């Protein structure tokens, strides 16, 4: 997009009116910035200050972020985003992560870092209240080596493949989806130590806790279970 901030907000103003006239139940999402680091949030806050929230039903963003997510401030950046939207709109808006990934550069030594970092980043996004968070990308492609969660064993197919093999992140995402499908966050668990983090997720009477330590040393923690809170 080569226009100004005002031009972009005007596009949303026109689209919002037209789409809701055609379908009162339509949801207009935007503006889908390409990251959730401070510089990206600064751009978003400029748009919010110009009234963008009047013309969207939910906020979408490609929450690309440095790994590991905790040491690089992903939790704080998500909360800054949520507060900026709340202040601008006067209420919370639904949040949608529309692309989140991390490239290995086709270095196999980085594949566990990709898996561990992105699985925890996804838990943070959902735990901090995002309605969904799309993983990027299905298979490797030539222009940005190593983004895929599967090896592309037929590189003649540029953006897909008829022959793939999984990297470590593929079964990790499968397990995470199996355990958390349909769950919603109950909030963060931040009282287990400076380098520990976790979230509760619930679906009906089912509650799943995701807990991890991102420090350099192994630690033991005690967590009560089978209690109401």
């Amino acid at each position: 997009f080569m226009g100004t901030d005002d031009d972009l907000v005007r596009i949303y103003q026109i689209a919002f009116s037209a789409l809701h006239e055609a379908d009162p139940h339509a949801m207009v999402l935007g503006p889908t910035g390409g990251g959730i680091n401070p510089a990206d949030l600064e751009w978003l806050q400029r748009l919010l200050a110009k009234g963008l929230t009047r013309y969207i039903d939910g906020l979408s963003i490609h929450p690309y972020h440095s790994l590991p997510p905790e040491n690089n401030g992903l939790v704080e950046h998500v909360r800054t985003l949520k507060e900026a939207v709340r202040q601008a709109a006067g209420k919370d808006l639904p949040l949608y992560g529309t692309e989140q990934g991390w490239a290995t550069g086709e270095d196999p030594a980085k594949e566990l870092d990709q898996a561990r970092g992105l699985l925890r980043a996804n838990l943070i996004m959902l735990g901090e209240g995002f309605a969904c968070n799309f993983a990027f990308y299905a298979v490797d492609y030539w222009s940005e080596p190593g983004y895929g969660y599967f090896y592309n064993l037929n590189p003649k197919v540029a953006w897909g493949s008829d022959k793939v093999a999984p990297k470590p992140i593929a079964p990790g995402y499968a397990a995470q989806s199996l355990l958390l499908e349909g769950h919603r966050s109950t909030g963060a668990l931040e009282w287990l130590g400076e380098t520990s983090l976790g979230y509760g997720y619930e679906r009906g009477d089912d509650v799943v806790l995701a807990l991890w330590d991102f420090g350099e040393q192994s630690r033991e923690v005690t967590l009560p279970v089978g209690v109401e809170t």
Side-chain angles (χ1 to χ4, degrees):
F1 181 73
M2 301 301 293
T4 66
D5 292 348
D6 290 313
D7 292 335
L8 184 56
V9 173
R10 176 60 176 158
I11 288 172
Y12 274 96
Q13 182 182 17
I14 296 169
F16 184 87
S17 176
L19 289 167
H20 281 283
E21 183 177 348
D23 181 359
H25 301 292
M27 282 197 69
V28 178
L29 305 180
T32 320
I36 197 169
N37 288 298
D40 306 302
L41 295 178
E42 182 181 349
W43 170 80
L44 176 61
Q45 288 170 324
R46 293 205 317 264
L47 296 179
L48 297 178
K50 292 179 180 295
L52 178 66
T53 55
R54 295 198 295 268
Y55 312 119
I56 57 176
D57 301 296
L59 187 129
S60 58
I61 186 171
H62 288 358
Y64 286 99
H65 197 271
S66 303
L67 298 183
E70 310 86 356
N71 302 81
N72 288 289
L74 179 58
V75 173
E76 292 77 12
H77 298 155
V78 172
R79 292 176 183 177
T80 297
L81 167 68
K82 290 168 59 179
E83 182 59 26
V85 172
R86 186 181 299 118
Q87 290 293 329
K91 60 180 180 180
D92 291 319
L93 292 180
L95 303 174
Y96 297 85
T98 41
E99 275 187 24
Q100 189 173 52
W102 188 80
T104 65
E106 296 184 345
D107 179 356
K110 296 181 179 179
E111 288 174 5
L112 279 178
D113 292 335
Q114 180 194 52
R116 292 165 175 158
L118 288 179
L119 288 170
R120 300 202 311 265
N122 193 51
L123 288 171
I124 290 169
M125 303 304 294
L126 299 177
E128 292 294 329
F130 270 64
C132 65
N133 190 44
F134 285 93
F136 186 91
Y137 189 66
V139 297
D140 286 332
Y141 53 95
W142 65 272
S143 59
E144 295 178 296
Y147 260 108
Y149 302 141
F150 288 81
Y151 296 108
N152 185 346
L153 301 184
N154 183 6
K156 293 180 180 180
V157 183
W159 294 99
S161 185
D162 56 4
K163 190 176 183 181
V164 302
K167 299 179 186 177
I169 192 171
Y173 260 135
Q176 194 174 95
S177 299
L178 177 68
L179 292 169
L180 294 179
E181 177 70 25
H183 287 66
R184 292 290 178 264
S185 174
T186 63
L189 287 79
E190 301 176 282
W191 40 268
L192 295 173
E194 290 185 0
T195 60
S196 293
L197 183 61
Y199 293 89
Y201 309 89
E202 65 178 358
R203 183 179 66 182
D205 294 332
D206 181 46
V207 177
V208 175
L209 299 181
L211 306 172
W212 65 93
D213 193 283
F214 53 91
E216 298 295 330
Q217 302 296 324
S218 299
R219 297 191 310 111
E220 291 187 1
V221 298
T222 300
L223 184 71
V225 296
V227 295
E228 291 186 359
T229 58

